[in-house]
């Protein structure tokens, strides 16, 4: 194992993690760790320096053997705050585990009950426990003792939590666990919670399959959206509307939502209008009901469909094929004063039977109106200044990152801002881990093995300039993928098979620029992908008992040209104004 590590070590340097070679070395390292003893694994972990240790922890945890789990748990001390980075990488690797064991969940539950030096690690622990509960339940392990104990722990601790930070921590765990029995709890916090807690509970409900969204859920979402019991923030109301529209809405539910447009705060009017138009344009399931409602002139008229504003919602295809399709969606909601309230980028992958939430990056801001002496929207008068980012990666909700909290923190960050992006997640992930052997009726054994590794770096930043009256948010996604496969048929007289590999790297940037020097303010959204090299290799082979071997190799390399993904025409027109007027923006201050 040590010899193999020395051969691939340089490929695992932090500066090279966005390259396919890193993902390839990561997979080969995992295969060797799976054959190693606990002592061999510990020898490498204890001898490595701080630059390479996080990558070693990624690989050791992803190997998912009893020996590798024992080794990494023996090495990590959760009572030591100096190893927070390694603890976080270990926990995220657990969250992405392809075949988590009951032992792993039991170990994390024991760690959570014990002393944990860092509050952030404590939060990550329970969030990962939620992800493991769902993965074990998906494999019919919901009644395992460790799963039952972890579920009871999260639900009981949430019920007793009195600090907002603790409530959010357990809600994030439930957002990953997606337990049917947690729906009543989430409904309670969505409707009666304050600010971020209400928003988090609503987004957790949004992740459930529509089949779980009962009449009670839809009634609660309708009360939130129409504010029949209390005033809610725009972010919670728009999430409630999205849940209603995505869960087989009735004619009257759709009609009431359409009739509300025009009575909402101005930017929310525009956002809801964009959401309805996006559903119609993209032919989503509720589009038929919406078209029926639009035949009523009270719901469909110029006054209602001509509302001004800069908020928007848009869905498009990344790729579309007979076997696999991928969609991207960008929606952005502003406050009435022109400051970003929430931006939400999603990438989903569909095949004929499954739906994978590949990436979600949400940027949220609130309470910034005081900076430009603007009036807050209804229900948002007493919000603290806050900006942060939340991400979902491969159906796994990560721990959110806070840019600033409170007015004092905001001013210090603005005065010392460098424009550098804040890292949300940087890791090596075991993407695919598949092995199957089949005894054919004619006698030979057929086997198929596929492994896929992913090197990912997601970061985001928010810049705010009072001088140029401009704010900019930037979410950067850097990804490299390596997938290797082998299929083989072995009979007593001949062995034949095929090795295949695929590698690619790409970067996807989502940039939102807002100029609030005039009203209506100018908003430009961009979603760019850089040039992406793409390489495949195939080797076919046959071997005979005599020792003779026949081999044929074939490779292909290409570059997928970078492009800027199209959004709605209104956005394109706005971008021309934003970038066309940049040269004289400073001169027009007075």
């Amino acid at each position: 194992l040590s010899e193999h590590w020395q051969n691939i070590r340089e490929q695992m340097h932090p500066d090279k993690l966005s390259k396919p070679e890193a993902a390839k070395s990561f997979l080969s390292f995992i295969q060797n760790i799976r054959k190693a003893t606990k002592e061999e694994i510990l020898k490498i972990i204890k001898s490595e320096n701080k630059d390479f240790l996080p990558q070693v922890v990624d690989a050791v945890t992803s190997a998912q053997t009893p020996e590798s789990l024992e080794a990494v748990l023996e090495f990590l001390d959760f009572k030591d705050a100096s190893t927070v980075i390694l603890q976080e990488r270990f926990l995220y690797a657990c969250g992405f585990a392809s075949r988590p064991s009951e032992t792993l969940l039991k170990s994390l539950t024991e760690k959570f009950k014990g002393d944990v030096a860092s509050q952030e690690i404590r939060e990550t622990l329970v969030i990962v426990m939620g992800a493991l509960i769902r993965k074990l339940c998906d494999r019919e392990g919901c009644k395992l003792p460790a799963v039952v104990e972890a579920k009871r722990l999260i639900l009981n601790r949430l019920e007793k939590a009195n600090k907002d930070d603790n409530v959010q921590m357990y809600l994030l765990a439930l957002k990953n666990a997606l337990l049917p029995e947690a729906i009543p709890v989430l409904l309670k916090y969505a409707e009666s919670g304050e600010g971020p807690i209400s928003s988090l509970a609503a987004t957790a409900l949004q992740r459930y399959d529509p089949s779980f969204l009962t009449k009670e859920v839809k009634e609660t979402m309708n009360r939130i959206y129409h504010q029949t019991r209390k005033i809610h923030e725009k972010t919670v109301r728009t999430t409630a509307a999205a849940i209603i529209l995505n869960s087989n809405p009735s004619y009257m539910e759709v009609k009431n939502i359409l009739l509300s447009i025009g009575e909402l705060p101005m930017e929310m009017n525009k956002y809801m209008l964009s959401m309805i138009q996006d559903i119609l344009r993209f032919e989503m399931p509720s589009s038929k009901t919406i078209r029926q409602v639009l035949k009523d002139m009270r719901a469909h008229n110029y006054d209602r469909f001509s509302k001004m504003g800069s908020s928007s919602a848009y869905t498009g295809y990344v790729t579309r094929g007979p076997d696999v399709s991928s969609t991207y969606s960008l929606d952005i909601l502003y406050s009435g004063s022109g400051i970003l309230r929430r931006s939400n980028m999603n990438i989903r992958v569909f095949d004929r039977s499954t739906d994978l939430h590949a990436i979600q990056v949400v940027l949220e801001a609130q309470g910034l109106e005081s900076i430009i002496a603007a009036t807050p929207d209804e229900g948002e008068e007493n919000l603290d200044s806050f900006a942060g980012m939340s991400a979902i990666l491969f159906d796994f909700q990560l721990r959110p990152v806070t840019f600033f909290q409170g007015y004092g923190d905001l001013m210090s960050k603005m005065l010392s801002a460098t424009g550098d992006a804040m890292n949300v997640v940087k890791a090596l992930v075991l993407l695919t881990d598949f092995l199957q052997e089949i005894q054919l009726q004619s006698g030979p054994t057929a086997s198929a093995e596929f492994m896929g590794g992913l090197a990912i770096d997601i970061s985001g930043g928010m810049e705010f300039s009072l001088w140029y009256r401009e704010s900019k948010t930037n979410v950067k996604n850097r990804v490299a993928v390596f997938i290797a496969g082998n299929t083989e048929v072995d009979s007593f007289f001949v062995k034949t098979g095929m090795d295949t590999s695929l590698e690619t790297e790409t970067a996807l940037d989502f940039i939102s620029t807002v100029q609030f020097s005039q009203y209506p303010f100018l908003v430009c959204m961009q979603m760019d992908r850089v040039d992406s090299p793409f390489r495949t290799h195939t080797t076919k082979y046959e071997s005979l008992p005599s020792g003779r071997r026949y081999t044929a190799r074939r490779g292909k390399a290409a570059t997928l040209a970078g492009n800027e993904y199209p959004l709605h025409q209104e956005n394109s027109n706005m971008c021309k104004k934003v970038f066309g007027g940049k040269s004289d923006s400073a001169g027009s201050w007075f």
Side-chain angles (χ1 to χ4, degrees):
L1 186 67
S2 296
E3 185 180 339
H4 177 79
W5 169 243
Q6 292 305 317
N7 291 336
I8 65 166
R9 187 173 180 271
E10 281 310 307
Q11 303 298 335
M12 305 280 268
H13 192 277
D15 295 339
K16 298 180 181 178
L17 283 191
S18 59
K19 300 293 181 185
E21 289 76 13
K24 182 179 180 180
S25 300
F26 173 65
L27 294 181
S28 65
F29 193 32
I30 287 173
Q31 288 177 320
N32 278 271
I33 291 171
R34 285 176 172 172
K35 304 169 189 172
T37 63
K38 173 185 165 183
E39 289 70 27
E40 288 176 307
I41 296 167
L42 273 171
K43 182 181 175 183
I44 289 179
I45 296 176
K46 290 179 177 178
S47 64
E48 202 45 82
N49 66 43
K50 65 178 182 179
D51 288 337
F52 291 89
L53 253 180
Q55 289 77 262
V56 174
V57 170
D58 283 341
V60 170
T61 310
S62 299
Q64 301 175 78
T65 64
E67 292 80 10
S68 65
L69 179 59
E70 285 178 29
V72 74
L73 285 175
E74 184 175 316
F75 175 73
L76 292 175
D77 181 6
F78 283 80
K79 298 174 186 175
D80 181 5
S82 65
T83 59
V84 163
I85 293 174
L86 297 179
Q87 293 168 33
E88 187 173 60
R89 291 286 279 262
F90 161 69
L91 291 172
Y92 280 152
C94 291
F96 291 121
S98 55
R99 298 188 309 275
S101 63
E102 185 186 7
T103 306
L104 175 59
L105 179 57
K106 188 176 180 180
S107 301
L108 296 190
T109 305
E110 288 171 359
K111 294 290 181 187
F112 182 74
K113 288 178 178 177
D115 293 332
V116 180
S118 165
Q119 178 60 23
E120 291 182 351
I121 292 301
R122 187 171 176 78
E123 291 171 9
T124 308
L125 253 171
V126 74
I127 290 168
V128 171
M129 284 165 58
L132 296 183
I133 288 169
R134 177 162 57 93
K135 290 188 177 187
L136 288 166
C137 283
D138 286 345
R139 288 163 44 204
E140 300 181 356
C142 250
K143 294 182 180 178
L144 292 171
V147 176
V148 172
E149 184 188 356
K151 286 195 292 186
R152 189 188 305 119
L153 176 75
I154 293 169
L155 291 169
N156 288 348
R157 294 279 181 97
L158 176 58
E159 191 178 335
K160 296 173 184 175
N162 46 24
K163 290 183 180 177
D164 284 357
D165 288 348
N166 288 340
V167 171
Q168 290 184 48
M169 173 171 79
Y170 295 116
L171 288 178
L172 284 165
L174 293 180
K175 189 174 179 179
N176 271 331
L178 297 180
L179 299 171
E181 58 264 42
I183 289 176
V185 180
L186 294 172
L187 287 176
K188 182 185 80 172
Y189 282 102
E191 188 168 19
S192 59
E194 296 296 329
I197 289 175
S198 177
S199 180
L200 178 54
T203 56
L205 287 164
Q206 195 174 14
R207 293 197 68 203
Y208 280 84
D209 187 272
S211 61
F212 288 102
L213 302 181
T214 60
K215 183 182 177 183
E216 182 189 357
V217 175
K218 293 172 78 174
E219 285 174 354
T220 306
M221 293 302 108
N222 276 290
R223 286 197 301 269
I224 291 172
Y225 178 74
H226 296 290
Q227 302 190 121
T228 54
R229 289 190 179 173
K230 61 175 280 192
I231 292 173
H232 293 274
E233 294 177 29
K234 291 192 299 294
T235 51
V236 184
R237 295 180 69 190
T238 52
T239 302
I243 291 172
I244 295 165
L245 292 170
N246 290 331
S247 54
N248 191 25
S250 67
Y251 181 90
M252 284 309 299
E253 284 175 330
V254 172
K255 186 173 182 178
N256 286 334
I257 287 175
L258 281 168
L259 289 174
S260 72
I261 298 174
E263 310 299 326
L264 307 168
M266 188 175 66
E267 283 299 327
M268 190 174 165
N269 274 328
K270 182 63 176 175
Y271 181 85
M272 290 304 302
L273 195 57
S274 290
M275 185 193 291
I276 295 292
Q277 290 169 334
D278 191 47
I279 291 170
L280 292 171
R281 187 186 57 80
F282 209 69
E283 294 289 342
M284 295 179 192
S286 59
S287 60
K288 291 181 181 178
T289 309
I290 293 174
R291 290 187 199 281
Q292 288 177 341
V293 175
L294 290 178
K295 293 175 183 177
D296 185 342
M297 292 299 288
R298 286 174 297 175
H300 187 198
N301 54 57
Y302 178 79
D303 178 58
R304 208 174 298 284
F305 274 70
S306 62
K307 298 301 177 186
M308 291 180 63
S310 303
S311 301
S312 63
Y314 186 86
T315 305
Y317 281 103
V318 176
T319 182
R320 192 176 187 182
D323 298 311
V324 178
S325 293
S326 177
T327 63
Y328 67 92
S329 65
L330 284 172
D331 61 73
I332 191 160
L333 176 65
Y334 291 93
S335 66
S337 56
I339 296 176
L340 173 76
R341 195 67 181 81
R342 182 187 65 202
S343 74
N344 190 346
M345 180 192 77
N346 289 278
I347 296 178
R348 290 182 172 274
V349 182
F350 304 87
D351 66 13
R352 292 174 183 177
S353 58
T354 56
D355 167 14
L356 174 68
H357 199 169
I359 294 176
Q360 180 190 71
V361 180
V362 179
L363 285 169
E364 269 196 81
Q366 66 178 37
L368 305 185
E369 285 77 11
S370 56
I371 301 170
I372 58 172
T375 304
D377 292 339
E378 180 189 30
E380 302 182 356
E381 296 87 354
N382 301 317
L383 295 178
D384 285 338
S385 299
F386 165 82
M389 179 159 63
S390 170
I392 290 174
L393 188 59
F394 300 114
D395 273 333
F396 171 41
Q397 168 72 56
L398 309 179
R399 183 178 57 79
V401 173
T402 299
F403 296 148
F404 58 80
Q405 178 89 52
Y407 188 77
D409 192 22
L410 162 63
M411 295 312 294
S412 67
K413 294 274 172 66
M414 281 180 64
L415 294 171
S416 62
T418 60
D420 293 339
M422 182 179 285
N423 188 263
V424 179
V425 61
K426 188 172 189 176
L428 291 160
V429 178
L430 183 60
L431 188 64
T432 305
D433 191 16
F434 177 84
L435 172 64
Q436 185 175 18
E437 289 191 352
I438 303 169
Q439 186 68 46
L440 302 179
Q441 284 185 327
S442 53
T445 301
S447 65
E449 182 176 11
F450 289 90
M451 286 187 78
L454 176 81
I456 191 159
D457 184 355
I458 299 178
S459 58
M462 194 173 185
E463 298 175 43
F464 197 91
S465 171
L466 284 175
W467 180 256
Y468 291 108
R469 292 147 294 159
E470 182 178 277
S471 70
K472 181 181 282 190
T473 58
N474 190 350
V475 177
K476 297 182 178 181
N477 301 276
R478 304 281 179 270
V479 176
V481 178
F482 182 85
I483 297 174
N486 168 263
T487 53
E488 188 174 87
V489 176
D490 190 4
S491 69
F492 63 92
F493 64 93
V494 66
K495 180 190 287 187
T496 181
M498 184 167 71
D499 293 325
T500 60
S501 69
L502 175 154
E503 60 184 77
T504 186
E505 60 183 287
T506 190
L508 191 68
D509 290 354
F510 168 46
I511 305 160
S512 171
T513 307
V514 184
Q515 288 186 354
F516 47 87
S517 55
Q518 57 182 313
Y519 199 87
F521 39 84
L522 302 176
V523 181
C524 172
M525 292 188 295
Q526 298 164 275
M527 188 168 167
D528 301 340
R529 179 174 56 77
V530 300
D531 290 352
S532 307
F534 181 87
R535 292 178 290 274
T536 60
H537 299 278
T538 304
T539 303
K540 295 180 181 178
Y541 57 87
E542 291 180 9
S543 58
L544 301 174
S546 62
R548 295 192 64 178
R549 185 179 174 93
Y550 302 90
T551 306
R553 292 184 177 87
R554 190 174 178 182
K556 180 182 176 183
T559 299
L560 302 175
N563 70 305
E564 184 168 340
Y565 288 99
L567 300 176
H568 43 84
Q569 187 59 44
E570 211 173 291
N571 182 69
S572 301
N573 297 338
M574 199 86 79
C575 288
K576 289 175 186 175
K577 291 181 183 179
V578 169
F579 295 110
K582 281 256 178 182
S583 57
D584 59 7
S585 62
S588 62
W589 177 262
F590 298 104

